Amino acid sequence: MWIRIFNWFVKLTAWPAQRIILRLRISCEDPAVQKRSLRGPVILVCNHNAVYDYAALMFTFFGRTLRVQMAEVLFAKPVLGPFLRMLGGIRVDRENHSLQSLRRAQSLLEKGWAVGIFPEGRIPLPDEEKPLPFRPGAALLALETGVKVVPVAVRGAYFREPIRVRIGVPMDLRALTAGETDSRAAVNRATELLREKVAELGKELEHGA
């Protein structure tokens, strides 16, 4: 309960600032299927442009409290770390390949939360193809729980231009990989499907969607 309360406090007090910093421009692939409201357990998958992407998701889906996976380096910072914990951030230790963060996310989904994941694992360098190859965690989580995934693409330079967000229709990865007989092949296929969809949404933003 206190995580929801703190999230609402942060969103309400930061609302004027985000109107200046983010200047969100939000569109939906199919508004009849998926808009900014999220119901029940859901996994959000988004590309990663900057550390401010979390704020973009927070204010895009204003009505829900998001439990977002975040890199361990952020939690090590003296002020930022406790702040992210109070917001309900899920710590991800990227170097030790532990499944602890996935198990934590699975537990939260079972309780009805919305979980956010940046499957690229880091912010791409300027000369790298975007989005980077996705790590399999989001796909594995969706296949194990049966929870649908809402793909999201974010574009724009924070502080310099409006941030454009494109919300895709929910994806049932179990249904989309039903033809795979091997579990590893299913995870690999689901991971690629997620990356392809986020890339597609990003291209739609680039072409003025």
Side-chain angles (χ1 to χ4, degrees), residues 14-26 51-60 154-165:
W15 180 259
Q18 71 86 22
R19 295 282 292 176
I20 298 172
I21 297 171
L22 300 179
R23 291 180 285 160
L24 291 172
R25 303 290 186 268
I26 301 168
V51 294
Y52 305 103
D53 292 334
Y54 171 48
L57 290 182
M58 176 188 292
F59 286 100
T60 295
V154 176
R155 289 287 189 277
Y158 292 90
F159 299 96
R160 298 199 299 272
E161 62 184 27
I163 301 303
R164 292 162 291 131
V165 180

Side-chain angles (χ1 to χ4, degrees), residues 137-184:
L140 179 60
L141 185 63
L143 291 174
E144 285 193 354
T145 62
V147 172
K148 291 185 178 180
V149 179
V150 174
V152 181
V154 176
R155 289 287 189 277
Y158 292 90
F159 299 96
R160 298 199 299 272
E161 62 184 27
I163 301 303
R164 292 162 291 131
V165 180
R166 182 79 166 165
I167 303 170
V169 299
M171 301 173 66
D172 183 346
L173 293 183
R174 281 187 177 178
L176 292 172
T177 59
E180 300 290 350
T181 57
D182 179 74
S183 59
R184 179 172 296 182

Side-chain angles (χ1 to χ4, degrees), residues 26-39 44 60-62 150-152 166-170:
I26 301 168
S27 63
C28 302
E29 181 184 18
D30 186 348
V33 177
Q34 180 63 60
K35 294 191 283 190
R36 297 173 65 178
S37 59
L38 299 170
R39 292 182 175 85
L44 292 176
T60 295
F61 300 97
F62 190 84
V150 174
V152 181
R166 182 79 166 165
I167 303 170
V169 299

Side-chain angles (χ1 to χ4, degrees), residues 56-71:
L57 290 182
M58 176 188 292
F59 286 100
T60 295
F61 300 97
F62 190 84
R64 280 297 296 271
T65 298
L66 305 181
R67 307 295 297 271
V68 178
Q69 290 190 345
M70 306 174 187

